[in-house]
Amino acid sequence: MTSKFRRAGSAVAIVAALGLALSACGGGSDTGSDGEGGDTSSITFIPKNLGNPYFDASDTGGKKAADEIGTTWKQVGPTESTPDSQVSFINTATQQRAGALVVSANDPTAIGDALEEARNAGTKVVTMDSDTEPQFRDIFVSQADAAGIAKSQVDLIAEQIGGKGEIAVLSAAANATNQNEWIKLMEEELAANHPDIKLVQTVYGDDDDQKSFDKTAGLLQSHPNLKGIISPTTVGIAAAARYLSDSQYKGKVALTGLGTPNQMREYIKDGTVKAFALWNPEQLGYLSAFAADALASGDIEGKEGDTFEAGDLGEYTVGADGVVVLGEPTVFDASNIDDFDF
């Protein structure tokens, strides 16, 4: 994909078509649980949970970057996205003397002590997609500006339900930093600019397909006048679309949020979903790997104003609070969804 991103506050748009495989990738050979014999140039990726197509795409991007850099990248993590489920994986990576960690946090504080121990041992910490409290990491690679993500989802649902009616949110985990920030900003956007739209309930599917499917059913049963659902999580939106596509609510209850084109293509084409948004998760992993390597190699410290090269994506600048922003989300609909493959 050829891309132009907003860096250090300048707004630009993403245009492109790309091909990539949503496959989990292996990595380094570090095995020393006693802290010796590890690969201090390696990068360990710990997503919220394994088996998630979104993080599989990020893993693909991270591995691609590591190959270009000449380091190793491996993905490890929990099967469920609970607040402290990542702690044991962080501890193991620390014992194996990983050069850097890339973590999508399930909770802003629950993994803080483990990350502090990692940093004290010399491992650099990059959070991506979902942040911790800033004191626990060196850099946060944000997928896009939070306010922009929230506004895009509100605008999409408002357009699809004619600017009025009841809506609900199907989120991921109740402790997910990114989800909670987006929901808060969506509430503010609704109050400020969409007074005729009422958010009646937020439910949590914990990025589990069946639980998200069941939560969708519960929302529709609890709120017979529901006009739309926003699901700012790729697992949730796909599960909700699957439920709606084979129900009496198809075409009557709007659904939007954040999803991957490959997950959502059939639901766009059968009319279950009109439009949704997302950034490129492969590029998020790719950028995170370059940021992690720049930290581990000492090229940057994670301070505001630090710059580093990120391969095909070009140069990035670290902003306030150690935040690096990938770019703006893309809206997918029937007119462009076949241009993308991730």
Side-chain angles (χ1 to χ4, degrees):
M1 173 182 279
T2 57
S3 305
K4 295 181 180 179
F5 292 106
R6 179 169 58 188
R7 301 186 184 92
S10 60
V12 288
I14 301 172
V15 272
L18 63 111
L20 62 102
L22 295 178
S23 58
C25 298
S29 57
D30 39 14
T31 57
S33 61
D34 60 356
E36 298 181 355
D39 181 0
T40 56
S41 70
S42 68
I43 303 170
T44 298
F45 174 43
I46 306 176
K48 290 180 180 178
N49 60 316
L50 299 179
N52 185 325
Y54 175 88
F55 291 117
D56 286 347
S58 297
D59 182 53
T60 298
K63 179 59 164 60
K64 178 182 177 184
D67 288 345
E68 294 177 10
I69 294 166
T71 187
T72 59
W73 168 282
K74 67 177 179 180
Q75 178 182 222
V76 298
T79 57
E80 296 183 356
S81 55
T82 56
D84 59 357
S85 60
Q86 295 167 309
V87 169
S88 64
F89 298 96
I90 295 168
N91 291 340
T92 297
T94 302
Q95 292 167 356
Q96 294 174 344
R97 299 173 60 209
L101 297 178
V102 173
V103 183
S104 180
N106 279 320
D107 185 279
T109 58
I111 62 176
D113 288 346
L115 291 179
E116 282 190 338
E117 290 181 12
R119 295 175 75 197
N120 288 338
T123 296
K124 301 299 182 180
V125 174
V126 173
T127 54
M128 58 151 264
D129 176 72
S130 183
D131 199 10
T132 59
E133 294 294 334
Q135 67 267 26
F136 299 134
R137 46 74 172 168
D138 297 292
I139 279 179
F140 170 49
V141 178
S142 177
Q143 53 274 67
D145 174 73
I149 294 171
K151 185 177 187 303
S152 70
Q153 292 175 87
V154 170
D155 287 347
L156 284 169
I157 202 68
E159 180 180 357
Q160 292 172 35
I161 67 172
K164 61 181 179 180
E166 295 182 356
I167 66 169
V169 171
L170 170 62
S171 186
N175 298 87
T177 311
N178 55 347
Q179 303 278 317
N180 290 338
E181 183 177 10
W182 298 335
I183 293 167
K184 178 177 179 288
L185 291 167
M186 283 191 277
E187 291 171 343
E188 293 174 0
E189 176 66 18
L190 287 168
N193 297 309
H194 300 277
D196 295 327
I197 298 178
K198 182 181 180 182
L199 177 58
V200 294
Q201 190 175 3
T202 296
V203 296
Y204 303 93
D206 293 330
D207 269 348
D208 177 85
D209 177 75
Q210 188 59 51
K211 186 173 182 179
S212 298
F213 184 91
D214 294 341
K215 289 291 184 179
T216 303
L219 282 173
L220 294 164
Q221 292 166 7
S222 300
H223 304 283
N225 296 319
L226 199 66
K227 297 297 183 183
I229 298 171
I230 298 174
S231 187
T233 163
T234 57
V235 174
I237 193 174
R242 193 173 83 254
Y243 182 89
L244 290 172
S245 68
D246 193 31
S247 76
Q248 62 180 311
Y249 304 101
K250 180 180 177 180
K252 298 177 182 178
V253 175
L255 172 65
T256 194
L258 303 176
T260 68
N262 288 352
Q263 284 179 299
M264 300 300 295
R265 183 171 286 105
E266 65 178 291
Y267 304 116
I268 287 285
K269 293 194 172 184
D270 72 8
T272 300
V273 177
K274 291 184 178 178
F276 64 96
L278 194 67
W279 47 91
N280 186 331
E282 183 185 5
Q283 290 182 335
L284 188 64
Y286 184 88
L287 175 58
S288 297
F290 273 98
D293 181 72
L295 286 165
S297 63
D299 292 341
I300 61 172
E301 297 180 4
K303 295 180 179 179
E304 183 174 0
D306 281 354
T307 61
F308 64 97
E309 290 294 327
D312 294 340
L313 299 181
E315 184 180 88
Y316 278 79
T317 299
V318 180
D321 297 320
V323 177
V324 176
V325 178
L326 173 63
E328 294 292 334
T330 296
V331 173
F332 304 97
D333 57 24
S335 71
N336 70 350
I337 196 164
D338 283 337
D339 295 336
F340 299 86
D341 183 22
F342 66 90

